[in-house]
Amino acid sequence: MAYGTTSRKIALVGIGKIARDQHLPALQASDDWDLAATVSRSGAIEGVEAHDDFDAFLTARPDVEVVSLCLPPQPRFDYAKKALLARRHVMLEKPPGQTLAEVHELERLAAKQGVTLYATWHSRMAAGVAAAKSRLVERVVQSLRITWKEDVRKWHPGQEWVFAPGGMGVFDPGINALSILTEILPEPVHLVSAELEFPENRDTPIAARLEFTGNVGAVFDWRQEGPQTWDIEIETNKGSIALRDGGARIEVDGAEQKLLDHPGEYPSLYARMAQLVANRESEVDLAPMIHVADAMTLGRRITVAPFEFDKETT
Ligand code: NAP
């Protein structure tokens, strides 16, 4: 459904993997949005007006009232702050910043400027998540296990920023699981212990084991070759529920549940952004990032083998 009678102009900022894989197709398929420009130092999209400097773009295109930031987390705050000061509505990829304080500052600024700030969590829009959440309302959760194991070389080929400070390491995908956890659980939990495995040549973890209150646990590992696993398995007083494939599928007592037609994670995010802008509202939920910050604060550090994207140099 389109909000308003005409589509709103939007600029996509940081034309890299996720901008091309997900944001572009979602925008092209949407009646809510008109992709008016891109801003990227080197990336561009054929047929779309391209800028390579954000300040110059903000000056040149005051008519583009919304920007969607698809940059890695490290440069995101500076871009978001400039956009908010220029009174643009801002949509943030996950995680919404490098630190909690950065995002609090953006929230304050958005409110002061009277514009929308949307900190997106794409995994919350996965097809099975709402179904799992509604089923848990009626049940008591006895245990919940997250297993998020993937191959960083496959999903982040050569993306050095994930291992740089602020890149979060394995929490870059792990925070997707935590965004689902914090969405579906009827009662909040908090971290009680963590073990973080840091490659000896890297600044962020490549694997993590987390234990929360409420018999909730998580294992994240970026060294998984072969089959990839993104599962959340829940035991309740009325049987089991499992979310598989990052929330795309749901099983109840081991039986796959048929889901209604689903628009997809990114089309759902852009529909929500259209709604927020139309209503002049913001949505910023930092619960998933609080768990990551707690893990970094409370986690025991274990040093493991060095990691290089190119296996030959490891
Ligand atoms: P990426 O391809 O490595 O980076 C996106 C673009 O940002 C780059 O092509 C680059 O474009 C620009 N950029 C990179 N570093 C920059 C810097 N220091 N300053 C200014 N611009 C910079 O990253 P990505 O995989 O798309 O991920 C971006 C965000 O999306 C991350 O927060 C990630 O967690 C999230 N995300 C990624 C995926 C995925 O599958 N990769 C899935 C869901 C969410 P220019 O060089 O042209 O400026």
Side-chain angles (χ1 to χ4, degrees), residues 15-18 40-43 70 76 94 159 161 172:
I15 304 304
K17 187 170 188 307
I18 199 63
S40 211
R41 296 164 311 173
S42 57
C70 313
R76 196 170 304 131
K94 51 63 51 171
Q159 291 181 336
W161 62 262
D172 178 80

Side-chain angles (χ1 to χ4, degrees), residues 18 23 43 109 121 136 138 155 169 220-221 241 254 272 278 289:
I18 199 63
H23 290 257
L109 207 51
W121 299 109
L136 287 179
E138 301 285 304
W155 300 103
F220 302 152
D221 202 321
I241 295 175
R272 178 70 182 136
M289 207 164 145

Side-chain angles (χ1 to χ4, degrees), residues 16-292:
K17 187 170 188 307
I18 199 63
R20 291 181 198 283
D21 288 357
Q22 297 291 343
H23 290 257
L24 180 62
L27 286 171
Q28 284 173 332
S30 171
D31 293 334
D32 292 320
W33 300 105
D34 166 17
L35 178 57
T38 61
V39 189
S40 211
R41 296 164 311 173
S42 57
I45 292 167
E46 204 184 329
V48 181
E49 180 183 303
H51 297 255
D52 61 10
D53 182 88
F54 195 52
D55 296 307
F57 156 76
L58 290 171
T59 305
R61 293 299 306 268
D63 56 314
V64 180
E65 56 180 321
V66 183
V67 297
S68 177
L69 301 183
C70 313
L71 306 153
Q74 289 97 336
R76 196 170 304 131
F77 175 79
D78 288 343
Y79 279 72
K81 184 175 177 184
K82 283 179 181 179
L84 294 171
L85 288 174
R87 284 217 155 75
R88 310 303 161 90
H89 307 286
V90 174
M91 181 161 155
L92 302 170
E93 250 297 352
K94 51 63 51 171
Q98 300 184 98
T99 66
L100 294 165
E102 279 185 353
V103 191
H104 286 308
E105 171 59 7
L106 295 179
E107 227 181 333
R108 187 193 67 79
L109 207 51
K112 187 175 168 212
Q113 297 290 89
V115 293
T116 292
L117 179 67
Y118 181 22
T120 66
W121 299 109
H122 67 84
S123 291
R124 285 187 175 174
M125 297 298 193
V129 170
K133 181 177 181 171
S134 64
R135 280 179 167 84
L136 287 179
V137 170
E138 301 285 304
R139 299 166 184 232
V140 178
V141 174
Q142 294 167 333
S143 70
L144 183 151
R145 293 284 121 187
I146 297 172
T147 309
W148 229 247
K149 294 185 175 181
E150 61 174 58
D151 183 351
V152 64
R153 290 187 176 91
K154 178 176 162 93
W155 300 103
H156 293 276
Q159 291 181 336
E160 294 289 344
W161 62 262
V162 298
F163 285 115
M168 290 193 186
V170 76
F171 289 104
D172 178 80
I175 204 167
N176 297 333
L178 298 175
S179 75
I180 297 175
L181 175 79
T182 48
E183 174 69 12
I184 64 175
L185 276 188
E187 301 283 338
V189 295
H190 64 266
L191 192 83
V192 291
S193 69
E195 287 182 334
L196 309 177
E197 295 188 7
F198 284 73
E200 66 179 42
N201 60 338
R202 296 292 182 171
D203 292 316
T204 61
I206 197 163
R209 289 177 291 282
L210 313 177
E211 290 299 328
F212 297 84
T213 52
N215 202 11
V216 171
V219 177
F220 302 152
D221 202 321
W222 240 350
R223 297 162 300 194
Q224 175 90 354
E225 296 182 353
Q228 310 282 286
T229 309
W230 300 281
D231 286 346
I232 300 178
E233 293 167 315
I234 311 160
E235 292 301 328
T236 79
N237 62 331
K238 296 180 186 170
S240 69
I241 295 175
L243 282 168
R244 309 255 180 233
D245 295 342
R249 298 192 296 113
I250 180 169
E251 293 168 5
V252 176
D253 296 327
E256 179 101 23
Q257 303 297 296
K258 192 166 164 37
L259 290 164
L260 299 175
D261 278 348
H262 186 262
E265 294 178 13
Y266 281 79
S268 301
L269 292 180
Y270 277 103
R272 178 70 182 136
M273 182 64 179
Q275 195 179 37
L276 289 170
V277 173
N279 296 339
R280 289 291 186 274
E281 291 168 355
S282 287
E283 186 176 303
V284 180
D285 177 11
L286 287 173
M289 207 164 145
I290 288 171
H291 289 321
V292 176

